[in-house]
Amino acid sequence: MQTLWTHISEQSETVTTSAWTLLVLGVLLSLSIVVDTISRRTALPRISLLVLVGVGYALIQQGLLGHDAEPLNGLREPLINLALVMVAFLLGGELTWSRLKSTGPLIIALSVAVVIGSLVTVFAGLWLLGYSLVVAVSLAAISVATDPAAVSEAVAESDEKSDSKSDAKSDEKSLVARVILGIVAIDDAWGIIVFGLCMALLSWIGATSGEASLVHTVWELGGAVLLGLALGFPAAWLTGQLKPGRPTQAEALALMLLMAGFSSYLNVSALLTAMVAGFVIVNVSSHHTRSFNEIEQIEWPFLVFFFVLAGASLKLAHLSTALGLVGAYIVLRSIGRYLGGYLGVLAMRRREPRLKTNIGLGLLPQAGVAMGMALLAAERFPEQGQLIVATVVTSTIIFELFGPLLVKRVIANPGKSDAY
């Protein structure tokens, strides 16, 4: 018995990195089952609970164990990218021609209003509070991005719990949900454009290579569109050739991996690539629902890793220096989203009178795209980098915890008072 215990102890000391990674992945998926059970019995969204799991991971790792290794080692970035690609692909599939004809102008007008509201409010507020131009402009540009994964998951949860009756109120809920998903589907495209232009502006002001920054922005967007078309059209043709089942699932997963891999290799926006591909497939293929259904079936485990890793990104060492800026950014971004949505709905009141002016509160969640922008800003302006990254990561956790609750509330109560 003693020999067996000694052997087990020796083996535990030599556990490989791959074995530890597999164990962590298994534990996270097991916890997601517990989270789902708690969510069904309470009013708390699964997203918020998963982010809290990630925060707990960060507290144990950095606070108790005293080290700050990257969660899941080298798997963190691929898992996040793949989850975001899946979400963006499904959101692109929401943009059918018929839907664009009926709600397209409305979605574009509201998205522009929310973008301008966020950008102006965050920049003006931080500038008046005395923060540097780099911090104010960078965070204003980052504030434009929305987390498509959190919003779409909150909408899905709201649909699951909504009544199946086809009355006026349910139609109103459906309209609000469609408009929010439509805005999110193009919101990150606006975010990438705004962020690239803001970085170019800061580079010109700082007498660095503004031209190179502008070229990079054009390539990131234009290259993403070209890549989405290049992958979307063959995938649309292939979708009609395969029968439902395992081959279709393999085809759908292969497309997700190709989009994530090629966009990373070519340094273009993976989100925009996936949205363009989804848009092409849904409008070209006669069997488009097969690929989207398969992605919906396998999407959840990747979203589990995404949300947990978002919470695990919290850096306790930089938290104290950024608390004031975090508070200001959260308040200003919330005001900007609300004001943008309020003014946008008022401007489009004649076209769609059923929308309420609180719709901007359904666009508060923020995660992977914002974190990526923060890292890019930190690389370009290293003297302000830690402050920007700490602010975005910490505020992201807050937005991921409370944002989905507001998304569900906006959708569930479209006909109630706008006051919140």
Side-chain angles (χ1 to χ4, degrees):
M1 188 67 179
Q2 183 65 31
T3 305
L4 177 62
W5 178 254
T6 302
H7 176 71
I8 293 175
S9 299
E10 290 175 354
Q11 287 294 105
S12 64
E13 292 176 0
T14 58
V15 173
T16 63
T17 302
S18 60
W20 176 250
T21 300
L22 291 173
L23 286 171
V24 172
L25 291 174
V27 169
L28 292 182
L29 287 178
S30 300
L31 286 174
S32 73
I33 301 172
V34 178
V35 163
D36 188 69
T37 302
I38 296 173
S39 175
R40 291 180 183 276
R41 297 181 179 180
T42 65
L44 294 173
R46 289 176 289 187
I47 307 159
S48 304
L49 294 173
L50 288 171
V51 173
L52 281 177
V53 171
V55 172
Y57 182 98
L59 292 174
I60 293 173
Q61 185 186 49
Q62 300 171 40
L64 298 180
L65 301 181
H67 62 85
D68 190 18
E70 183 182 339
L72 298 179
N73 301 304
L75 283 180
R76 180 179 181 274
E77 185 177 350
L79 286 174
I80 288 177
N81 287 342
L82 192 55
L84 287 173
V85 162
M86 288 181 175
V87 171
F89 178 73
L90 293 176
L91 289 174
E94 297 286 332
L95 302 177
T96 60
W97 283 120
S98 58
R99 185 169 295 175
L100 286 175
K101 288 178 182 178
S102 60
T103 61
L106 176 66
I107 289 172
I108 292 174
L110 288 176
S111 66
V112 170
V114 172
V115 165
I116 295 175
S118 302
L119 188 67
V120 173
T121 304
V122 174
F123 171 74
L126 293 181
W127 180 252
L128 291 174
L129 288 172
Y131 289 99
S132 69
L133 184 65
V134 169
V135 170
V137 172
S138 297
L139 289 179
I142 292 169
S143 73
V144 171
T146 308
D147 176 19
V151 173
S152 59
E153 176 61 21
V155 170
E157 284 188 39
S158 181
D159 288 342
E160 289 175 5
K161 297 178 181 179
S162 64
D163 296 330
S164 59
K165 296 178 181 180
S166 179
D167 54 12
K169 188 173 181 180
S170 63
D171 289 342
E172 204 169 337
K173 284 183 183 180
S174 177
L175 172 67
V176 173
R178 289 201 311 270
V179 170
I180 288 177
L181 288 175
I183 294 173
V184 171
I186 61 174
D187 197 49
D188 285 311
W190 292 128
I192 293 167
I193 294 171
V194 170
F195 181 78
L197 293 175
C198 286
M199 291 299 101
L201 175 63
L202 289 174
S203 298
W204 281 321
I205 293 174
T208 57
S209 180
E211 239 179 85
S213 178
L214 192 58
V215 169
H216 174 76
T217 302
V218 172
W219 168 245
E220 186 175 10
L221 297 171
V225 172
L226 292 175
L227 180 59
L229 294 173
L231 293 175
F233 279 107
W237 174 82
L238 186 61
T239 299
Q241 309 302 313
L242 297 178
K243 295 181 179 180
R246 291 181 181 177
T248 307
Q249 190 176 76
E251 168 212 339
L253 185 56
L255 179 60
M256 298 303 104
L257 292 169
L258 288 172
M259 287 190 295
F262 274 123
S263 59
S264 178
Y265 178 76
L266 297 173
N267 200 22
V268 299
S269 169
L271 282 171
L272 191 56
T273 298
M275 281 188 276
V276 171
F279 173 79
V280 169
I281 292 173
V282 79
N283 288 289
V284 172
S285 174
S286 58
H287 301 84
H288 61 267
T289 55
R290 294 179 185 173
S291 293
F292 294 102
N293 289 340
E294 295 298 337
I295 295 301
E296 287 174 351
Q297 293 296 322
I298 62 176
E299 178 191 29
W300 178 243
F302 295 96
L303 290 181
V304 169
F305 301 136
F306 174 79
F307 291 121
V308 172
L309 289 171
S313 299
L314 177 65
K315 305 295 181 185
L316 300 178
H318 301 149
L319 185 58
S320 59
T321 60
L323 283 180
L325 183 56
V326 169
Y329 176 72
I330 290 173
V331 171
L332 291 169
R333 183 174 182 268
S334 301
I335 293 173
R337 303 304 262 187
Y338 177 81
L339 284 178
Y342 180 87
L343 296 175
V345 169
L346 287 183
M348 301 297 289
R349 179 68 80 190
R350 287 186 178 180
R351 181 181 180 89
E352 186 48 75
R354 291 178 294 172
L355 284 179
K356 296 299 178 179
T357 52
N358 59 16
I359 196 168
L361 295 178
L363 300 167
L364 282 178
Q366 188 171 46
V369 179
M371 290 183 185
M373 290 179 178
L375 293 174
L376 290 174
E379 289 177 5
R380 189 162 300 178
F381 307 103
E383 65 281 357
Q384 305 283 353
Q386 287 188 352
L387 182 62
I388 293 173
V389 172
T391 300
V392 172
V393 170
T394 308
S395 62
T396 288
I397 294 170
I398 304 299
F399 284 128
E400 289 292 273
L401 287 174
F402 297 102
L405 292 171
L406 288 173
V407 175
K408 294 169 73 173
R409 187 174 179 183
V410 168
I411 294 173
N413 305 292
K416 291 190 176 181
S417 172
D418 295 335
Y420 267 75

